[in-house]
Amino acid sequence: MKNATHKKAYMQNHERLADIFKALSNSKRINILMALKNESCRVGNMTECVDEPFPFVSQQLAILKRHGIVDKTKNKKNEVFYQITDEFAAKLLELVEEYDIRAVNGQ
């Protein structure tokens, strides 16, 4: 019984992992997440960071939210801010940043 319970837990974890990889399978979404990596940000600010139009960024954020990687909050002025909420995705982004640094340095 114990092994069956562990197997089911692993399978659920792998489904969650697959969701994260699906969300990260798009270079534009990775760019958006890298813009969010260090601080929460408004969609309008992200459009400048990733050089994409507002509707596109908004659509990609909705996908990331659906996959549980980002969430949004509103401030007193009713401005919407997004932040990365999944710790594992944040760790993967650290690896992406390391990969980028190596690529720039020709390694």
Side-chain angles (χ1 to χ4, degrees):
M1 181 70 174
K2 187 176 181 180
N3 286 339
T5 302
H6 285 292
K7 184 176 181 179
K8 187 173 182 178
Y10 285 138
M11 290 172 71
Q12 288 173 340
N13 286 339
H14 294 163
E15 287 177 19
R16 174 70 189 123
L17 185 63
D19 281 342
I20 292 170
F21 284 125
K22 283 178 195 173
L24 294 176
S25 68
N26 179 290
S27 64
K28 304 287 186 175
R29 287 194 288 269
I30 292 172
N31 292 342
I32 291 168
L33 288 168
M34 293 304 285
L36 289 173
K37 188 175 172 296
N38 296 317
E39 62 185 346
S40 61
C41 193
R42 292 183 314 124
V43 178
N45 293 356
M46 278 186 275
T47 60
E48 296 169 17
C49 290
V50 297
D51 198 28
E52 295 291 343
F54 185 93
F56 178 82
V57 172
S58 184
Q59 179 185 37
Q60 298 309 308
L61 285 166
I63 292 168
L64 292 167
K65 187 173 185 313
R66 188 171 59 243
H67 285 287
I69 293 175
V70 301
D71 205 359
K72 62 183 180 180
T73 57
K74 290 185 179 182
N75 65 10
K76 291 180 182 179
K77 296 179 183 178
N78 228 15
E79 297 172 310
V80 177
F81 286 81
Y82 282 85
Q83 62 278 335
I84 298 171
T85 54
D86 186 278
E87 287 183 40
F88 184 72
K91 287 181 182 180
L92 287 174
L93 290 171
E94 289 176 17
L95 291 172
V96 169
E97 188 172 46
E98 182 180 321
Y99 178 83
D100 289 346
I101 291 168
R102 287 181 175 198
V104 167
N105 293 329
Q107 297 177 351

